Amino acid sequence: MNSIALQLNKSLEGTQAGSLLSEMGKRFFFPRGIIAQAAEASKKATKYNATAGMAFNNNQPLILSSIKNSITGLEAKDYITYAPTPGDRELRELWLEKIKIKNPSIKEIHTSLPIIVPGLTSGISNCADLFLNPGDNIVIPDLHWGNYDLILKTRKEINIHTFKFFRDGRINIQSLKETLISSAKNGKVSLLLNFPNNPTGYSPTKSEAESIAQAIKDVALMDIKILVMADDAYFGLFYEDEIYKESIFSLIANLHNNVLAVKIDGATKEDYAWGLRVGFITFAGKGLTKEHTDALEQKLMGSVRSSFSSSPKLSQNLVKKALLSLDYSRDKAEFESLMKARYLKVKEILEKRTNGKRLKELPFNSGYFMTFETTPGYNERLREELLEVGVGTIALGDTSFRIAYSSVDKSNLEDLFSIIFSVSDNLQ
Amino acid sequence: MNSIALQLNKSLEGTQAGSLLSEMGKRFFFPRGIIAQAAEASKKATKYNATAGMAFNNNQPLILSSIKNSITGLEAKDYITYAPTPGDRELRELWLEKIKIKNPSIKEIHTSLPIIVPGLTSGISNCADLFLNPGDNIVIPDLHWGNYDLILKTRKEINIHTFKFFRDGRINIQSLKETLISSAKNGKVSLLLNFPNNPTGYSPTKSEAESIAQAIKDVALMDIKILVMADDAYFGLFYEDEIYKESIFSLIANLHNNVLAVKIDGATKEDYAWGLRVGFITFAGKGLTKEHTDALEQKLMGSVRSSFSSSPKLSQNLVKKALLSLDYSRDKAEFESLMKARYLKVKEILEKRTNGKRLKELPFNSGYFMTFETTPGYNERLREELLEVGVGTIALGDTSFRIAYSSVDKSNLEDLFSIIFSVSDNLQ
């Protein structure tokens, strides 16, 4: 194994992070190669810098006119050149600052500096690379984003163990805990949580969030090391007072020496920038010092460098500029109130409905979606039938039928649901 | 294994592509899930589309003002929404058209439609996922981009076997062929070629290119299946008449039934758009029909979806717009002549030099770089010494010392090399 990798492994020895590393994770390191030498030169090579695999003229990067003419308010060097492997430093610092504002209870907790990846999928995939071996077990809710299967099972041959997400309209924490315990293997288990949950649009209440954390702690107390990944894609769109308004990461970040918390989030949904591909990975865990999280960052940079090299720089700088802009808070508040109004409208429609009662809505209180539970196979038949009348919906698994009210204007929701209900009523 | 994956494997049965798939490659498929259903809805859901995990209002995506105000000449829906998993269809078609213009000898050869990935590293990494198992052997030149080691060896545990790139100032094709033969395992071997080569800046002459193809064919005739990846990052910057002006992919794309050719290229260097992260993967091989390449595209889409989901859409549309713009050819010609002038200047400096003779230049005729060969360890000492006088260079391995003349103005080259030579002469 490479000597830098060994050194990083040594730094992590005795920590939960060190114990949880996959074989690939153990091998990862950030080489002292071209990128490191170029970084050194960017500080010291004040006369001539002949390191970069880019083309410069008069200290400016070459750039096609059409591209240059499409961008306003950014210098070419701020978007056409390579971004650093871990991402733009200022954006990473700014994002961490925002994380701590949105999650005040971890204000004083040490975390790594977020590393930038091209979207949430890349965040999950790179974390799986770092921490999960083929054949390892991971626990996720039975109601989950379909891409988890492709990332974890198809790509990485990780065994997915699902827990029952709901019981009696609440998160089934007993099922979560039992599944964690029964899935532990060689003193290790992983958990991937996603709140607001896709597809249901459900986020835990304060007491549910605390019970989840307690369940994880109980398992940790059984001398089981636990990786907890918080997929916070839809973070922030919380429509009810009772919801726990921080990421579950807050309650895990300093929970127990056996628990490593990873926050995977991004501008994708939080900042309405789906196609820009700006995601972040942040580590924390009880007992982890800066030396430890630095080692994890170096390992993750090895994963980044060996899978996509660096994230799109233009996207990073657009997000940074947006976060710093005067319009930002106003825009976000406006969009959130738009989404909340739709949520309330959907709730009202469901409450008042007189037909379509075959469709049972699952609990929802946040995010972009709501999901009906159907009899097996009915969801796909209903989806196909609705397409025939020009209405697009999503059928997931055998029994989930998802509506993204995020993409339908409030004024159309009444009509949308009335079509869904009547098509459902007419479907044998 | 998933039934769609099995079906794709069946489609590829009996072809070189089918034989070359890795275990992961065999598992890959593109699920009929959210993305496929959303694609269906985008055609049929003319009334309401409640599929997308995005937020729309009045048929327009929500977008932060700051981001919107930074982009000119593109609609928000063309850059802030998700790109399709395989990338923007028009850009894929346009890129293939350009490939065929730049490589006229494959004009009539069937290839897949290029799939878009966020840069060349992602291209290589995703191809390795598709075709290489841990423990497989891959052949690359001894002089190669350092990141190959991280992608192939560190990430994927593939055994790297190097051939001697040069002998007597020419590509050592005998070493290439012998290494291919000795590296074949279970009737299979892989080869990764990179022209213009990083770090040397060397591209094969017409006769060298033909000899390379012949060597590969000779090995194929021994009933060995060969995956040939052409890393064409620096394609197009050819400064000498004798150079083979097409990609080596042209000579492999229809070479033999045992050979699968993969072209990995991108806007990164070819279109001076390093930070945008727009790369492409294209397949071809003798005997491969559209049915076969469609199956490969579906497999690659599974790899894409499970590693980064989709490539940045703004970047894709900026590249597309640039390729279609009236300035494009003029800009490219201008940049190429700038680079060629630097190349000629470097050649002149080396020819006329009276000092620094300890540094032996390796052959170069193309791309961004030239490389000196040094005694072992001297390269790093020289690099460090040069940093002290404000000059940034790259030391690779034990004996390579790389100068990116692409990033130094022609008017400064004389001074740059004179500093390098005199620092070298003064270094014990």
Side-chain angles (χ1 to χ4, degrees):
Chain A
M1 199 178 292
N2 176 281
S3 64
I4 308 174
L6 287 172
Q7 211 174 299
L8 295 172
N9 296 347
K10 209 172 157 55
S11 299
L12 291 167
E13 218 171 73
T15 69
Q16 67 275 56
S19 311
L20 285 164
L21 284 177
S22 67
E23 292 308 312
M24 195 188 282
K26 286 179 195 155
R27 293 197 302 273
F28 277 141
F29 67 100
F30 189 67
R32 303 206 173 101
I34 294 173
I35 298 289
Q37 293 178 26
E40 211 181 329
S42 75
K43 287 176 201 141
K44 289 187 162 183
T46 47
K47 205 165 168 65
Y48 305 122
N49 188 348
T51 59
M54 294 185 275
F56 285 84
N57 198 38
N58 289 323
N59 290 317
Q60 292 299 318
L62 298 185
I63 181 168
L64 296 173
S65 311
S66 158
I67 294 176
K68 189 168 187 176
N69 295 338
S70 302
I71 309 297
T72 310
L74 289 175
E75 298 285 313
K77 68 175 175 44
D78 290 329
Y79 63 86
I80 206 72
T81 58
Y82 289 117
T85 305
D88 179 89
R89 179 84 189 193
E90 284 172 25
L91 177 57
R92 296 170 65 203
E93 287 170 354
L94 189 58
W95 193 259
L96 181 57
E97 211 178 278
K98 296 264 177 198
I99 285 178
K100 296 213 164 180
I101 292 169
K102 295 169 190 169
N103 300 277
S105 62
I106 53 163
K107 201 178 157 214
E108 305 299 330
I109 307 267
H110 173 69
T111 72
S112 66
L113 196 58
I115 281 186
I116 300 175
V117 292
L120 281 277
T121 296
S122 178
I124 296 164
S125 183
N126 276 280
C127 278
D129 288 340
L130 262 184
F131 297 112
L132 287 151
N133 290 315
D136 279 357
N137 295 335
I138 190 165
V139 175
I140 62 175
D142 54 356
L143 298 165
H144 60 261
W145 184 35
N147 207 21
Y148 288 172
D149 297 291
L150 203 67
I151 301 168
L152 301 169
K153 201 172 101 185
T154 306
R155 167 171 281 277
K156 297 208 54 93
E157 290 193 297
I158 295 159
N159 302 317
I160 292 179
H161 294 201
T162 59
F163 69 94
K164 297 259 170 243
F165 191 50
F166 286 126
R167 186 176 59 188
D168 303 332
R170 291 289 177 186
I171 296 179
N172 190 339
I173 289 154
Q174 196 188 330
S175 173
L176 164 61
K177 185 171 166 181
E178 285 169 5
T179 312
L180 277 178
I181 293 170
S182 66
S183 304
K185 207 165 102 177
N186 308 322
K188 170 181 170 179
V189 71
S190 295
L191 172 65
L192 171 51
L193 293 170
N194 166 226
F195 300 127
N197 170 271
N198 176 4
T200 63
Y202 188 79
S203 292
T205 62
K206 193 159 186 301
S207 89
E208 283 175 314
E210 280 162 1
S211 301
I212 290 170
Q214 186 59 51
I216 293 167
K217 191 170 184 175
D218 290 346
V219 179
L221 286 166
M222 296 166 70
D223 207 20
I224 294 170
K225 303 269 192 293
I226 314 174
L227 169 73
V228 182
M229 292 189 266
D231 170 353
D232 286 346
Y234 298 86
F235 183 85
L237 292 170
F238 301 127
Y239 309 126
E240 299 285 354
D241 288 340
E242 59 168 12
I243 297 176
Y244 179 62
K245 297 295 193 306
E246 299 191 23
S247 164
I248 195 76
F249 178 80
S250 283
L251 298 176
I252 315 294
N254 196 35
L255 186 68
H256 189 280
N257 282 318
N258 282 340
V259 181
L260 176 65
V262 187
K263 188 178 195 319
I264 300 164
D265 56 16
T268 311
K269 321 259 181 187
E270 276 193 65
D271 292 316
Y272 308 88
W274 310 278
L276 296 187
R277 317 311 291 138
V278 178
F280 299 85
I281 299 175
T282 311
F283 303 110
K286 188 165 190 172
L288 292 185
T289 63
K290 183 162 187 311
E291 187 207 346
H292 300 133
T293 56
D294 282 354
L296 284 174
E297 285 179 34
Q298 291 290 312
K299 293 241 165 224
L300 182 53
M301 281 163 64
S303 183
V304 164
R305 176 77 177 151
S306 64
S307 58
F308 59 87
S309 234
S310 63
S311 293
K313 188 168 186 175
L314 173 55
S315 299
Q316 292 178 48
N317 275 290
L318 287 174
V319 169
K320 183 169 74 178
K321 203 176 149 196
L323 292 176
L324 293 169
S325 78
L326 294 173
D327 311 317
Y328 180 70
S329 304
R330 192 204 57 205
D331 285 351
K332 285 264 288 191
E334 183 191 321
F335 298 167
E336 276 164 37
S337 84
L338 202 70
M339 302 294 274
K340 184 169 182 177
R342 292 180 191 177
Y343 163 79
L344 292 171
K345 185 72 197 171
V346 173
K347 283 276 173 184
E348 183 199 310
I349 291 168
L350 293 172
E351 209 165 284
K352 290 189 177 164
R353 74 176 144 167
T354 53
N355 62 345
K357 295 206 169 172
R358 197 163 158 184
L359 297 168
K360 309 280 177 223
E361 67 267 28
L362 291 166
F364 68 107
N365 56 16
S366 54
Y368 283 22
F369 312 119
M370 64 84 48
T371 289
F372 290 110
E373 198 176 28
T374 73
T375 50
Y378 182 77
N379 57 348
E380 174 61 15
R381 285 172 55 219
L382 181 57
R383 182 186 81 86
E384 287 169 9
E385 207 64 27
L386 281 164
L387 270 184
E388 296 308 312
V389 295
V391 171
T393 55
I394 297 281
L396 293 165
D398 268 354
T399 58
S400 292
F401 181 75
R402 192 188 81 176
I403 312 291
Y405 57 81
S406 62
S407 47
V408 180
D409 292 8
K410 186 184 159 201
S411 58
N412 291 328
L413 287 170
E414 199 91 56
D415 192 32
L416 167 68
F417 278 88
S418 113
I419 296 171
I420 292 171
F421 293 154
S422 82
V423 167
S424 169
D425 284 348
N426 290 328
L427 193 64
Q428 290 315 309
Chain B
M1 199 179 291
N2 176 280
S3 64
I4 308 175
L6 287 172
Q7 211 174 300
L8 295 173
N9 296 346
K10 209 171 157 56
S11 300
L12 292 167
E13 218 171 73
T15 69
Q16 67 275 56
S19 312
L20 285 163
L21 284 177
S22 66
E23 292 307 312
M24 194 188 282
K26 286 179 195 155
R27 293 197 301 273
F28 276 141
F29 67 100
F30 189 67
R32 302 206 174 101
I34 294 173
I35 298 289
Q37 293 178 26
E40 212 181 328
S42 75
K43 286 175 200 141
K44 289 186 161 184
T46 47
K47 204 164 167 66
Y48 304 122
N49 188 348
T51 59
M54 294 184 275
F56 284 83
N57 198 37
N58 289 323
N59 290 315
Q60 292 299 318
L62 297 185
I63 181 168
L64 296 173
S65 311
S66 157
I67 295 176
K68 190 170 187 174
N69 295 338
S70 302
I71 309 297
T72 309
L74 289 174
E75 298 285 312
K77 68 175 174 45
D78 290 330
Y79 63 86
I80 205 73
T81 59
Y82 289 118
T85 306
D88 180 89
R89 178 84 190 193
E90 283 172 25
L91 177 56
R92 296 170 65 201
E93 286 170 354
L94 189 58
W95 193 259
L96 181 57
E97 211 178 278
K98 296 264 177 197
I99 285 178
K100 296 213 164 179
I101 292 169
K102 295 169 190 170
N103 300 277
S105 62
I106 54 163
K107 201 178 159 214
E108 304 299 330
I109 307 268
H110 173 68
T111 72
S112 66
L113 196 58
I115 281 186
I116 300 175
V117 292
L120 282 277
T121 296
S122 178
I124 296 164
S125 182
N126 275 279
C127 278
D129 288 340
L130 261 184
F131 297 112
L132 287 152
N133 290 315
D136 279 358
N137 295 336
I138 190 165
V139 175
I140 61 175
D142 54 356
L143 298 164
H144 60 261
W145 184 35
N147 207 21
Y148 288 171
D149 297 291
L150 203 68
I151 301 168
L152 301 168
K153 201 171 101 186
T154 306
R155 166 171 281 277
K156 296 207 56 90
E157 290 193 297
I158 295 159
N159 302 317
I160 292 179
H161 294 201
T162 59
F163 69 94
K164 297 258 170 244
F165 191 50
F166 287 125
R167 186 176 58 190
D168 304 332
R170 291 289 178 186
I171 296 179
N172 190 339
I173 289 154
Q174 196 187 331
S175 173
L176 164 61
K177 185 172 167 181
E178 285 169 5
T179 311
L180 277 178
I181 293 170
S182 66
S183 304
K185 207 165 102 176
N186 308 321
K188 171 181 170 179
V189 70
S190 296
L191 173 65
L192 171 51
L193 293 170
N194 166 226
F195 300 128
N197 170 271
N198 176 4
T200 63
Y202 188 79
S203 293
T205 62
K206 193 159 186 302
S207 90
E208 283 175 314
E210 281 163 1
S211 301
I212 290 170
Q214 186 59 51
I216 293 168
K217 191 171 184 175
D218 291 346
V219 179
L221 286 166
M222 296 167 69
D223 207 20
I224 294 170
K225 303 268 192 293
I226 314 174
L227 168 74
V228 183
M229 292 188 267
D231 170 353
D232 286 347
Y234 299 86
F235 183 85
L237 292 170
F238 301 128
Y239 309 125
E240 299 284 354
D241 287 340
E242 59 167 13
I243 296 175
Y244 179 62
K245 297 295 194 306
E246 299 192 23
S247 164
I248 195 76
F249 178 80
S250 283
L251 299 176
I252 314 294
N254 196 35
L255 186 68
H256 189 279
N257 282 318
N258 282 340
V259 181
L260 175 65
V262 187
K263 188 178 195 319
I264 300 164
D265 56 17
T268 311
K269 321 260 181 186
E270 277 192 65
D271 293 316
Y272 308 88
W274 309 278
L276 296 187
R277 317 312 291 139
V278 178
F280 299 85
I281 299 175
T282 311
F283 303 110
K286 188 165 190 173
L288 292 185
T289 64
K290 183 163 187 310
E291 188 207 345
H292 300 133
T293 56
D294 282 354
L296 283 174
E297 285 179 34
Q298 291 290 311
K299 293 240 165 227
L300 182 53
M301 281 164 64
S303 182
V304 164
R305 176 77 177 150
S306 64
S307 58
F308 58 87
S309 234
S310 62
S311 293
K313 188 168 186 175
L314 173 55
S315 299
Q316 292 179 48
N317 274 291
L318 287 174
V319 169
K320 183 168 75 178
K321 202 177 149 196
L323 292 175
L324 293 169
S325 78
L326 295 173
D327 311 317
Y328 180 70
S329 305
R330 192 204 55 205
D331 285 351
K332 285 264 288 191
E334 183 191 321
F335 298 167
E336 277 165 37
S337 85
L338 202 70
M339 301 295 275
K340 184 169 182 177
R342 292 181 191 176
Y343 163 79
L344 292 171
K345 185 73 196 170
V346 173
K347 284 276 174 185
E348 183 199 310
I349 290 168
L350 293 172
E351 208 164 286
K352 291 190 178 162
R353 73 175 144 168
T354 52
N355 61 346
K357 294 206 168 172
R358 197 163 159 185
L359 297 168
K360 308 281 177 223
E361 66 268 27
L362 291 167
F364 68 107
N365 56 16
S366 54
Y368 283 21
F369 311 119
M370 64 84 48
T371 289
F372 290 110
E373 199 176 27
T374 73
T375 50
Y378 182 76
N379 57 348
E380 174 61 15
R381 285 172 54 219
L382 181 57
R383 181 186 81 86
E384 287 169 9
E385 207 64 27
L386 281 164
L387 270 184
E388 296 307 312
V389 295
V391 170
T393 55
I394 296 281
L396 294 165
D398 268 354
T399 58
S400 293
F401 181 75
R402 192 188 82 176
I403 311 290
Y405 58 82
S406 61
S407 48
V408 180
D409 292 8
K410 186 184 160 201
S411 58
N412 290 328
L413 287 169
E414 199 90 57
D415 192 32
L416 167 68
F417 278 88
S418 114
I419 295 171
I420 292 171
F421 294 154
S422 82
V423 167
S424 170
D425 284 348
N426 290 328
L427 193 64
Q428 291 316 309

